[in-house]
Amino acid sequence: MNRTDFLRTLAGSTLAVGALAEQSFAGSSTPFKAEMAPFKQALLPYDFGALEPSIDKMTMEIHYGKHHAAYVKNLNDAVKGTEFEKKSLDEIIKSISKAPAAIRNNGGGHWNHTFFWEVMGPKKSAAPTGAVADAINGQFGSFDKFKEEFAKAGATRFGSGWAWLVAKGGKLAVGSTPNQDNPLMDVSDVKGTPILALDVWEHAYYLHYQNKRPDYIKAFWDVVNWDKVAENLKKA
């Protein structure tokens, strides 16, 4: 079953299918500041099976087609008829302390997943080059030491959450956030502009890796889209 056929079979997923027919973020930066309600789920810039063996096709189908789609639907339901319906996703995220839990959880879920899909890709280099490599080496000493710190942030995040590489004040930092929080939120302990992210919720890896989160984190390096990371760093 191809991507289009799968999405069309999702029960009640008219939001996902309609949004996917309208837009794609392949090869472009996601316009969070311009995104207003009703929020939409953009197309993946690659096929569901494109990240195998690091991330299997079925996991991607469920993760994108079920979990992310649900965050978008629930976010639209949560903002309907409220002051947040007139705010962009970027505005909502940056002042999330003023929003109820449903908007925080689902707004973060939509933002985080859209960002996550973009920083991955098939047949990518296992290591950065250019400005990203220079920045990582300058901050962490080496790429291997950065990977160790990033992996620790992801592996030691209790329960569900995310690992992040962020830029702030001309420096890079690694950290993690719980649930669907992210470093742009005013409630986050980790602050900065996201450069790279890894979803460490169980639904992101359990079908293939079961409880072996460190194995999933190790495999992630084979699908990082360093070109996108470089673009994120340049804009930070």
Side-chain angles (χ1 to χ4, degrees):
M1 179 182 292
N2 61 34
R3 176 177 58 180
T4 302
D5 290 341
F6 173 80
L7 288 172
R8 286 174 176 168
T9 63
L10 291 176
S13 62
T14 55
L15 171 68
V17 175
L20 294 176
E22 291 179 10
Q23 59 176 312
S24 169
F25 58 64
S28 63
S29 178
T30 306
F32 289 111
K33 291 183 179 180
E35 188 179 2
M36 306 289 293
F39 300 105
K40 298 178 176 66
Q41 186 181 18
L43 280 172
L44 281 172
Y46 39 78
D47 291 334
F48 287 129
L51 303 183
E52 290 188 336
S54 295
I55 302 178
D56 63 284
K57 181 178 180 180
M58 183 176 291
T59 293
M60 285 297 297
E61 288 176 341
I62 296 172
H63 196 175
Y64 174 83
K66 292 286 191 179
H67 291 281
H68 187 187
Y71 286 122
V72 177
K73 180 183 183 303
N74 293 337
L75 175 60
N76 282 319
D77 290 344
V79 302
K80 189 173 182 180
T82 73
E83 62 182 293
F84 300 98
E85 192 173 19
K86 300 183 183 301
K87 294 184 178 182
S88 69
L89 180 59
D90 191 70
E91 291 173 324
I92 293 172
I93 291 297
K94 289 183 177 180
S95 58
I96 204 68
S97 62
K98 300 177 181 179
I103 294 178
R104 175 175 175 174
N105 294 335
N106 292 292
H110 178 33
W111 198 104
N112 293 353
H113 282 89
T114 305
F115 184 88
F116 184 47
W117 309 137
E118 288 192 325
V119 295
M120 295 190 293
K123 299 179 181 178
K124 297 298 180 181
S125 171
T129 58
V132 175
D134 292 342
I136 286 175
N137 291 335
Q139 187 69 52
F140 301 98
S142 70
F143 181 56
D144 286 339
K145 288 183 179 179
F146 157 68
K147 288 200 298 182
E148 289 177 9
E149 189 166 336
F150 189 90
K152 182 179 179 180
T156 59
R157 166 48 59 188
F158 182 77
S160 301
W162 294 75
W164 302 91
L165 172 65
V166 301
K168 183 180 180 182
K171 296 182 178 180
L172 298 181
V174 163
S176 70
T177 56
N179 304 314
Q180 293 298 349
D181 287 357
N182 69 49
L184 293 176
M185 292 181 172
D186 57 355
V187 297
S188 178
D189 291 333
V190 180
K191 293 290 198 306
T193 301
I195 303 300
L196 178 67
L198 176 61
D199 188 347
V200 292
W201 281 63
E202 283 191 344
H203 65 240
Y205 62 88
Y206 204 83
L207 287 180
H208 185 68
Y209 296 96
Q210 286 79 51
N211 64 325
K212 301 174 184 177
R213 187 189 288 183
D215 289 352
Y216 160 68
I217 296 173
K218 182 179 179 180
F220 170 67
W221 299 114
D222 292 330
V223 294
V224 173
N225 182 352
W226 291 110
D227 289 339
K228 183 61 181 177
V229 175
E231 181 183 328
N232 292 339
L233 178 62
K234 187 176 180 179
K235 292 180 178 180

